[in-house]
């Protein structure tokens, strides 16, 4: 092929970006066969070459790149005097194009071979490898050829290390991996080399399939481990082997360690982001999780659109399915694993659950509800390990406030977090990686970025001892809480309510599965209740302080009372032995609030507290033994105190006597003469408007209304009127807690337990 | 004449809250000041900027309600400057009227000061430490909002909450090291 023709040929391929290897790099290509002056002339005058069928603006850049690639192909020309300058110029060209747009797969093919063949020095090889950034994909043939150079040992050790790091970083961009998998034995043999070992382990971790796990390999790994000690990368590979063939490995592996490999992608991180960005196109809307059989296959995307969550791609889904006939060896080789792209319905999952092979890209599980079911049921440590590892890495890289370099990718990160939250919600449990991510990134969070997603992640933190979680999470959250706007405070309270709900649900499920007294797990029931109780007290403290900071805002009080609406029913709804009252700061703020709905909610909560406390007391009496969860009489005392204050204010018109006690002399000083009625259901500031409208309803033409005229029979009509206006909480409270007799009084709960 | 800043050496002006930002990054401080002044606030805000302390005594300035020391984690000089300036602040200021703000924590590769150094500094002076990458506009605006709220409390404009009270709320216990996770 004459050089001129070859230039044209390559150009044509660049335009259509085909992935085929029609541009062969034969061994003869870099032997200086054609007259060096001839080819050099053409390369030097490359820019004037009439290749110009294409009048595009980037022709010049392409030409320069072609020149550079050809220069490298020719190998070092020993005679030229300004060798270094030309070399530098061409290297710079390649680097510029690579970092800006990425290199086409043919160019990567050529340059990879050059770098590993040792034609140029170590420094040049390193620079070439560092800029091997693909525009779209890397063909597996180039990788295979490159690996074949490793056998010849022409390049230095450090170049080999860099090559493996590059391979791990670019693993996702290699179009197919069957041939690379065939080289498994070669890679495995490279484990001998101490310098290469960690990176080769990482590569093997990504490549391994069930059929690669052989007894001799297991023995080899164990030998290595005996020689080098407990290395995290060896552990990773062993855990993966154990997953595929648990019978072969009897040595126990540590359970807690979740993160094995150092992030060796650092060199190419920025570039990888750019590649993903390029290939993505418009950022897709987060997909709903597919559940029923009527749905289309989950992800119908072009191969080139790579997003944060990888496309579902089963390792064994071969292209042979299109062929009419398969050879016998193919039939025998198929390990019978079910191709994941065909998994569409739940019955299908159940039928094939024994032969499902999880994709090598664990992250693609996030978008597929069936696979989420699967990993939840399988409960295998290595599967979860791979998943958590991918999740930790991705969260760390993509977080936009933790690593400010990524600030432009805000929308994608938000979508990604949404997907994670949907998956957590679907599985009804939190992921360890998210928890770790929260603890790490919370100190740097500004409170506004991805707020709703972040706070939802907070609500999915798995249950653990409150004292452990407090310094990691709550102290930092409190710092933000006290210095931010009222809306942030309300959002935090809401997410803490959901956190409480999740904890209560898990605990109530747990109780049915293990005996009350001694359990093999870390916490006893008493310990768990203690932790929940501490959480509730903490939120109580946050709420009271927030009320002070926001000057008793009604808006905030709504959220606080929502939280306590959940708390008051713990005993009855979740069957857990816990009753925690709200703090006085909340109770009195609500009682004296100007908003009727607040008062209504307060009445409802008091009614529920009463129900829970009486149920708790009854159960204790019935069981006739003192259980370890003795509700202290202090709780009952406090409740009765609240109840007395409330009834005294609202009903019996004795507001400042037994409940909220204020000295009569002080009351005189206020100058308010008629204070006794001032807080009852007629005169309370929040009810006054109802009283007036009630009277106006009766006699609409009245110019003046005397609310004090509501007495006797009118009083009960007035109450009915109130109930009809939607104040159901008030209704329940009055019916249950106020004793209707000639002398109305509060019905407190008798807390003197007699056994 | 010792020009040490004292919190109560002047009378407060009516409905005015004054904040002093001390730091070596002029451009960032200016931008932060602009963001703060854009905030909706019932009190009248005054923002003073200084490269370091002591302040020149010739200028007539109102009583300062809150001092924020801005430390740039990318520059050792910034930390040095802050440590020098801290000596010119009276001890009674540290009852809730001083705050440290660390910028640049998001770009770990550029950090020449370890985060732990600043954490220790804040701990020594018993004052809260806030993080914000001031170069990013979104983060800066949120931090400005937070500083305005802290300032209002320090100036006494929020009934029932004092600066010392807020300080005790913001002080968190030293947690376990994150490397163990």
């Amino acid at each position: 092929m004459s050089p001129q023709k070859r230039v044209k040929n390559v150009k044509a391929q660049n335009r259509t970006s085909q992935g085929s290897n029609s541009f062969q790099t034969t061994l003869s290509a870099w032997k200086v066969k054609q007259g060096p002056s001839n080819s050099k002339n053409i390369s030097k005058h490359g820019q004037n070459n009439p290749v110009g069928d294409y009048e595009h603006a980037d022709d010049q850049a392409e030409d320069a790149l072609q020149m550079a690639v050809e220069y490298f192909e020719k190998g070092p020309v020993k005679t030229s005097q300004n060798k270094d300058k030309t070399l530098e110029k061409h290297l710079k060209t390649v680097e510029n194009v690579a970092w800006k747009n990425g290199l086409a797969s043919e160019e990567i093919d050529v340059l990879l071979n050059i770098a590993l063949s040792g034609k140029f020095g170590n420094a040049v090889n390193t620079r070439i490898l560092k800029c091997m950034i693909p525009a779209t994909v890397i063909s597996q043939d180039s990788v295979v050829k490159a690996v074949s150079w490793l056998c010849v040992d022409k390049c230095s050790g450090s170049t080999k290390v860099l090559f493996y790091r590059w391979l791990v970083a670019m693993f996702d961009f290699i179009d197919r991996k069957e041939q690379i998998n065939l080289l498994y034995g070669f890679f495995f043999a490279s484990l001998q080399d101490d310098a290469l070992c960690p990176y080769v382990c990482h590569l093997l971790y990504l490549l391994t399939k069930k059929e690669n796990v052989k007894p001799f390999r297991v023995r080899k790994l164990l030998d290595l481990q005996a020689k080098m000690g407990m290395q995290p990368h060896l552990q990773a590979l062993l855990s993966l082997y154990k997953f595929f063939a648990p019978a072969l490995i009897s040595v126990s592996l540590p359970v807690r360690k979740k993160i094995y490999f150092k992030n060796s992608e650092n060199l190419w991180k920025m570039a990888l982001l750019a590649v993903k960005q390029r290939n993505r196109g418009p950022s897709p809307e987060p997909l709903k999780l597919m559940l029923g059989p009527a749905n289309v296959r989950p992800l119908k995307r072009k191969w080139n659109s790579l997003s944060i969550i990888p496309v579902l791609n089963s390792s064994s889904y071969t292209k042979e399915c299109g062929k009419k006939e398969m050879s016998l060896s193919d039939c025998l080789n198929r390990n019978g694993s079910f191709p994941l792209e065909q998994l569409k319905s739940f019955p299908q999952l159940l039928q094939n659950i024994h032969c499902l092979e999880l994709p090598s890209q664990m992250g693609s599980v996030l978008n597929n509800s069936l696979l989420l079911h699967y990993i939840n049921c399988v409960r295998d440590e290595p599967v979860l390990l791979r998943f958590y590892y991918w999740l930790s890495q991705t969260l760390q890289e993509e977080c936009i406030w933790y690593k400010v370099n990524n600030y432009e990718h805000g929308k994608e990160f938000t979508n990604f977090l949404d997907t994670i939250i949907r998956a957590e919600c679907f599985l009804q449990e939190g992921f360890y990686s998210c928890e770790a991510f929260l603890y790490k990134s919370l100190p740097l969070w500004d409170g506004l970025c991805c707020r709703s997603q972040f706070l939802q992640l907070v609500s999915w933190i798995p249950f653990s001892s409150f004292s452990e979680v407090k310094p990691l999470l709550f102290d930092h959250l409190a710092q933000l809480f006290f210095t931010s706007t009222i809306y942030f405070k309300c959002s935090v309270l809401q997410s803490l309510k959901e956190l409480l709900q999740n904890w209560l649900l898990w605990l109530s499920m747990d109780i049915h599965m293990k005996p009350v007294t001694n359990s093999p797990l870390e916490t006893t029931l008493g310990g768990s209740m203690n932790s929940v109780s501490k959480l509730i007290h903490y939120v109580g403290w946050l709420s009271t302080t927030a009320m002070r900071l926001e000057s008793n805002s009604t808006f905030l009080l709504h959220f606080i009372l929502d939280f306590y609406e959940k708390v008051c029913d713990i005993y009855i709804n979740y069957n857990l032995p816990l009753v925690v009252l709200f703090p006085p700061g909340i109770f009195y703020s609500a009682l004296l609030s100007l908003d009727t709905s607040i008062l209504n909610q307060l009445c409802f909560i008091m009614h529920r507290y009463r129900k829970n406390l009486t149920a708790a007391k009854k159960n204790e009496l019935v069981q006739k033994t003192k259980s370890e969860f003795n509700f202290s009489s202090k709780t009952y005392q406090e409740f009765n105190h609240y109840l007395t204050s409330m009834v005294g204010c609202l009903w019996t018109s004795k507001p400042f006597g037994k409940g909220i006690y204020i000295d009569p002399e002080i009351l005189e000083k206020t100058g308010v003469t008629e204070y006794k009625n001032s807080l009852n259901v007629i005169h309370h500031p929040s009810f006054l408007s109802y009283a007036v409208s009630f009277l106006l309803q009766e006699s609409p033409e009245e110019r003046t209304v005397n609310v004090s005229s509501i007495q006797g029979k009118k009083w009960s009509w007035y109450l009915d009127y109130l109930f009809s206006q939607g104040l159901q909480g008030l209704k329940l409270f009055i019916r249950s807690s106020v004793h209707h007799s000639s002398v109305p009084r509060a019905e407190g709960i008798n807390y003197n337990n007699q056994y | 004449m010792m020009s040490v800043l004292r919190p109560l050496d002047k009378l407060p002006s009516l409905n005015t809250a004054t904040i002093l930002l001390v730091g070596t990054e002029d451009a960032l401080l200016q931008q932060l000041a602009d963001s703060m002044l854009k905030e909706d606030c019932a009190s009248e805000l005054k923002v003073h900027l200084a490269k370091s302390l002591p302040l020149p005594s010739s200028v007539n300035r109102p009583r300062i309600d809150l001092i924020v020391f801005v430390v740039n984690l990318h520059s050792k000089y910034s930390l040095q400057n802050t440590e020098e300036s801290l000596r010119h602040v009276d001890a009674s200021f540290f009852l809730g009227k001083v705050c440290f703000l660390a910028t640049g924590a998001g770009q770990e590769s550029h950090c020449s000061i370890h985060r732990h150094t600043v954490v220790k500094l804040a701990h020594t002076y018993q004052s809260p430490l806030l993080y914000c990458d001031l170069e990013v506009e979104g983060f800066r605006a949120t931090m400005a909002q937070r500083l305005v709220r802290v300032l209002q409390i320090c100036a006494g404009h929020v009934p029932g909450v004092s600066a010392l009270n807020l300080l005790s709320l913001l002080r968190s216990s030293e947690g376990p090291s994150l490397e163990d996770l």
Side-chain angles (χ1 to χ4, degrees):
Chain A
M1 257 198 308
S2 77
Q4 195 167 1
K5 237 203 224 162
R6 192 161 63 198
V7 169
K8 254 200 188 149
N9 213 355
V10 172
K11 266 196 142 16
Q13 280 170 9
N14 275 346
R15 289 284 177 245
T16 57
S17 59
Q18 280 165 356
S20 65
N21 280 338
S22 52
F23 185 45
Q24 284 283 345
T25 310
T26 59
L27 281 179
S28 57
W30 49 267
K31 276 195 202 150
V32 186
K33 265 201 315 197
Q34 293 105 5
S37 53
N38 199 9
S39 50
K40 258 203 182 164
N41 273 338
I42 290 187
S43 24
K44 278 223 167 70
H45 299 305
Q47 304 215 355
N48 301 333
N49 239 353
V51 216
D53 298 342
Y54 321 97
E55 298 295 326
H56 300 270
D58 48 3
D59 249 7
Q60 283 212 345
E62 298 251 357
D63 284 346
L65 184 62
Q66 293 320 310
M67 269 165 46
V69 170
E70 276 174 33
Y71 175 82
F72 285 117
E73 273 188 280
K74 303 270 177 295
V77 180
K78 292 179 184 68
T79 54
S80 165
Q81 263 172 338
N82 51 354
K83 173 177 83 163
D84 284 334
K85 281 205 204 125
T86 343
L87 182 66
E88 187 59 36
K89 187 181 85 154
H90 288 306
L91 260 180
K92 274 223 157 41
T93 319
V94 174
E95 280 171 350
N96 287 340
V97 176
W99 283 94
K100 214 165 60 133
N101 295 328
L103 299 166
S105 32
E106 302 81 24
E107 286 149 8
I108 293 190
D109 197 66
V110 172
L111 289 168
L112 204 51
N113 282 309
I114 290 165
L116 290 172
S117 59
K119 288 263 70 190
F120 293 88
N122 208 10
V124 177
N125 292 340
T126 313
R127 279 179 73 177
I128 294 182
L129 273 176
K130 278 192 181 161
C131 68
M132 290 278 96
I133 296 157
T136 47
V137 297
I138 302 173
S139 107
Q140 64 172 338
D141 290 336
S142 345
V143 177
V144 171
K145 270 184 259 172
V147 173
S148 68
W149 279 111
L150 290 179
C151 301
V152 188
D153 222 13
K154 285 269 184 177
C155 55
S156 72
S158 57
T159 315
K160 282 190 199 164
V161 168
L162 192 57
F163 170 69
Y164 277 113
R165 288 177 67 183
W166 176 83
L167 200 51
V168 166
M170 303 290 165
F171 195 76
D172 294 338
F173 297 105
I174 307 178
D175 55 0
R176 285 154 57 181
K177 304 192 182 58
E178 298 96 28
Q179 293 191 12
I180 304 181
N181 197 280
L182 293 173
L183 294 170
Y184 194 93
F186 171 74
F187 291 128
F188 197 87
S190 315
L191 282 176
Q192 299 277 37
D193 188 335
D194 283 341
L196 292 177
C197 192
Y199 308 106
V200 177
C201 274
H202 197 166
L203 178 65
L204 290 175
Y205 189 84
L206 295 170
L207 264 185
T208 306
K209 293 211 297 263
K210 192 166 179 158
E211 58 265 16
N212 299 123
V213 182
K214 300 269 163 47
F216 74 91
R217 289 195 177 129
V218 173
R219 272 198 295 276
K220 183 78 207 166
L221 277 182
L222 292 173
D223 282 341
L224 270 175
Q225 196 181 62
K227 195 173 70 163
M228 298 207 298
M230 251 319 173
Q231 299 280 344
H233 41 92
L234 288 175
Q235 271 176 30
L237 204 48
L238 275 171
S239 322
L240 190 59
Y241 277 21
K242 192 163 182 176
F243 165 64
F244 283 123
L248 288 179
I249 302 184
S250 56
V251 69
S252 68
L253 295 161
V255 175
R256 287 312 285 177
K257 201 88 199 272
K258 308 266 188 204
I259 298 174
Y260 290 125
F261 297 110
K262 281 194 299 233
N263 190 359
S264 66
E265 299 177 29
N266 274 326
L267 288 177
W268 296 280
K269 197 159 40 167
M270 285 310 298
L272 286 181
L273 283 172
V275 178
K276 285 184 194 160
Q277 188 68 18
R278 261 203 303 275
N279 294 335
R280 193 193 321 250
S283 95
E285 288 304 309
L287 302 171
K288 295 199 190 41
L289 285 177
M290 310 294 157
L291 284 175
N295 289 308
V296 191
R297 56 180 279 173
L299 295 164
K300 188 84 182 158
R301 295 191 201 176
K302 292 187 326 202
W303 162 252
N304 278 340
S305 62
L306 300 159
S307 71
I308 301 179
I309 300 179
V311 175
L312 185 60
N313 188 14
S314 77
S315 354
S316 62
Y317 187 56
T318 60
K319 300 284 187 270
E320 265 97 63
C321 289
K323 276 198 210 157
K324 292 278 166 53
E325 49 176 282
M326 289 193 286
S327 65
L328 185 61
S329 55
D330 279 337
C331 279
L332 290 176
N333 273 344
R334 284 247 310 220
N335 51 8
S337 68
F338 189 75
L340 288 171
E341 282 89 339
Q342 292 177 12
L343 191 65
K344 279 180 215 162
S345 69
F346 196 69
Q348 239 179 352
L349 171 70
L350 292 177
Q351 277 167 18
N352 293 299
I353 200 163
H354 56 283
C355 60
L356 266 187
E357 197 182 306
L358 285 168
S360 54
Q361 302 293 343
M362 276 309 286
S364 50
V365 162
L366 267 184
N367 261 333
N368 189 322
S369 63
L370 295 168
L371 285 181
L372 281 176
H373 269 309
Y374 180 67
I375 64 171
N376 194 28
C377 302
V378 164
R379 281 253 154 244
D380 247 312
E381 196 63 33
V383 171
L384 293 173
L385 281 178
R386 282 166 66 193
F387 181 62
Y388 288 149
Y389 167 66
W390 174 83
L391 200 51
S392 307
Q393 288 299 104
T394 318
L395 279 170
Q396 183 155 330
E397 280 159 35
E398 301 285 334
C399 176
I400 57 181
W401 66 85
Y402 183 45
K403 302 267 171 94
V404 177
N405 299 324
N406 299 354
Y407 191 63
E408 303 82 46
H409 306 298
K411 190 77 179 36
E412 285 131 31
F413 188 57
T414 318
N415 289 344
F416 179 55
L417 286 180
D418 274 329
T419 317
I420 297 179
I421 290 166
R422 259 205 312 276
E424 283 186 321
C425 206
F426 180 74
L427 290 178
Q428 284 291 299
E429 78 179 75
F431 300 139
Y432 167 83
S433 317
C434 296
E435 208 185 331
F437 165 70
L438 275 179
Y439 298 155
K440 221 171 169 192
S441 60
L442 188 49
L444 294 182
W445 187 43
D446 68 331
L448 188 63
C449 217
C450 309
R451 178 193 285 177
S452 107
Q453 285 81 15
F454 201 78
L455 289 177
Q456 279 181 304
L457 283 178
V458 168
S459 69
W460 280 107
I461 291 177
F463 176 75
S464 55
S465 153
F466 181 76
S467 343
E468 276 174 19
V469 180
K470 180 171 180 294
L472 293 171
L473 179 79
F474 290 107
D475 285 338
H476 297 294
L477 201 56
Q479 228 200 28
L480 277 173
F481 185 82
F482 292 129
T483 52
S484 59
T485 61
I486 191 173
Y487 305 106
F488 183 78
K489 294 184 170 81
C490 295
S491 312
V492 169
L493 287 171
Q494 187 173 14
S495 84
L496 289 179
K497 180 182 82 162
E498 282 163 23
L499 176 67
L500 177 69
Q501 181 177 299
N502 287 335
W503 282 15
L504 290 172
L505 280 170
W506 288 323
L507 285 174
S508 63
M509 297 290 290
D510 246 4
I511 285 192
H512 295 139
M513 293 199 271
K514 65 175 194 269
V516 169
T517 42
N518 52 351
S519 70
L521 299 182
E522 302 98 48
T523 58
T524 61
L525 183 60
S528 317
M529 290 298 104
N530 201 15
S531 187
V532 176
S533 150
K534 277 194 200 155
L535 172 66
I536 299 175
H537 280 116
Y538 187 76
V539 177
W541 174 69
L542 282 181
S543 316
T544 325
T545 318
M547 286 297 280
R548 262 198 310 138
L549 287 169
E550 299 295 333
S551 309
N552 298 324
S553 150
T554 318
F555 185 65
L556 180 64
L557 196 49
H558 269 296
F559 284 87
I560 298 175
L561 286 181
D562 272 345
F563 179 78
Y564 281 102
E565 228 179 277
K566 184 140 297 273
V567 170
C568 63
D569 264 326
I570 291 181
Y571 189 83
I572 290 185
N573 283 357
Y574 297 95
N575 212 13
L576 294 169
L578 186 66
V579 182
V580 182
L581 288 181
F582 38 25
I586 305 301
F587 174 74
Y588 291 112
S589 304
L591 184 57
L592 303 173
S593 144
L594 296 175
D595 193 298
T596 326
S597 53
I598 293 278
L599 231 91
N600 186 42
Q601 208 173 1
L602 179 68
C603 290
F604 178 73
I605 295 176
M606 288 294 284
H607 162 77
R608 296 304 308 171
Y609 266 129
R610 186 200 183 84
K611 276 236 145 66
N612 278 262
L613 285 168
T614 31
K617 202 184 95 173
K618 210 189 309 181
N619 282 346
E620 286 199 356
L621 283 178
V622 161
Q623 280 167 18
K624 294 237 178 348
T625 50
K626 273 200 177 187
S627 72
E628 53 190 281
F629 313 107
N630 208 0
F631 294 105
S632 72
S633 56
K634 199 157 164 283
T635 318
Y636 289 89
Q637 251 178 336
E638 233 182 286
F639 176 74
N640 283 337
H641 189 87
Y642 284 158
L643 189 61
T644 326
S645 316
M646 202 152 155
V647 175
C649 283
L650 291 179
W651 194 263
T652 57
S653 305
K654 292 194 192 121
F656 303 118
K658 277 172 90 182
I660 320 171
Y661 179 73
I662 302 184
D663 222 12
E665 289 149 10
I666 301 177
L667 285 171
E668 266 180 43
K669 283 193 192 159
T670 64
V672 178
T673 42
E674 275 299 317
Y675 60 81
K676 288 217 166 127
N677 289 340
S678 54
L679 287 176
N680 65 12
V681 283
I682 304 169
H683 295 92
H684 193 290
S686 56
F687 288 121
L688 202 52
S689 50
Y690 284 91
V692 170
S693 51
F694 169 69
L695 288 173
L696 283 179
Q697 203 188 44
E698 267 192 351
S699 31
E701 295 87 38
E702 283 288 321
R703 285 309 183 95
T704 59
V705 281
N706 182 12
V707 286
S708 315
S709 66
I710 304 181
Q711 296 176 29
K713 245 196 178 163
K714 253 194 177 174
W715 179 280
S716 34
W717 291 339
Y718 172 62
L719 281 181
D720 288 334
Y721 172 73
L722 282 180
F723 301 157
S724 73
Q725 292 294 305
L727 300 180
Q728 295 303 310
L730 182 65
K731 179 167 157 185
L732 291 166
F733 175 70
I734 289 179
R735 296 265 164 86
S736 65
S737 305
V738 176
H739 188 100
H740 293 256
S741 71
S742 52
V743 182
R745 57 177 166 83
E747 280 210 64
I749 305 181
N750 183 5
Y751 56 84
N752 295 318
N753 296 317
Q754 293 125 14
Y755 288 105
Chain B
M1 166 174 139
M2 280 287 284
S3 49
V4 168
L5 277 179
R6 283 175 228 279
L8 300 170
D9 58 352
K10 292 194 182 150
L11 289 175
S13 343
L14 190 62
N15 205 32
T16 315
T18 314
I19 184 173
L20 173 66
L21 300 174
V22 180
T24 51
E25 315 287 319
D26 287 329
L28 290 180
L29 291 191
Q30 186 63 50
Q31 285 173 320
L32 182 60
D34 291 333
S35 303
M36 283 185 72
L37 290 170
K38 283 199 211 129
E39 282 296 315
D40 223 359
C41 180
S43 343
E44 197 186 303
L45 289 181
K46 287 210 168 98
V47 184
H48 285 246
L49 304 174
K51 225 178 161 77
S52 68
L53 297 176
L55 298 173
S57 46
S58 50
V59 178
N60 189 16
R61 71 179 69 80
R63 180 182 85 161
I64 293 176
D65 296 307
L66 175 65
I67 307 179
V68 179
F69 289 97
V70 180
V71 181
N72 186 357
L73 291 178
H74 300 179
S75 140
K76 286 205 172 85
Y77 170 61
S78 170
L79 180 66
Q80 244 179 355
N81 183 47
T82 308
E83 285 170 343
E84 283 286 321
S85 311
L86 278 166
R87 294 208 234 118
H88 298 273
V89 180
D90 186 55
S92 49
F93 240 114
F94 293 100
L95 295 173
K97 298 202 172 187
V98 170
C99 187
F100 292 92
L101 175 59
T103 177
Q107 289 159 307
E108 270 175 45
S109 45
H110 296 280
C111 284
S112 50
I113 310 174
H114 200 273
R115 257 169 69 182
H116 191 68
T117 319
V118 195
V119 170
K120 248 180 74 180
L121 179 67
H123 189 75
T124 317
Y125 284 94
Q126 313 274 14
S127 298
L129 172 62
L130 307 169
Y131 291 98
C132 176
D133 279 316
L134 290 174
E135 287 129 10
V136 183
E137 213 239 299
F139 300 159
R140 196 172 57 229
T142 329
M143 178 51 71
Q145 217 176 38
R146 286 173 72 187
L147 284 178
V148 167
R149 297 191 64 80
V150 175
L151 176 59
Q152 279 187 295
I153 294 174
C154 291
H157 294 181
V158 178
V161 188
S162 69
L164 189 55
N165 198 322
L166 181 65
L167 179 65
S168 66
L169 290 173
L170 293 179
R171 286 262 301 277
S172 59
S173 48
E174 304 258 90
S177 137
L178 283 170
E179 283 92 46
D180 299 337
L181 281 178

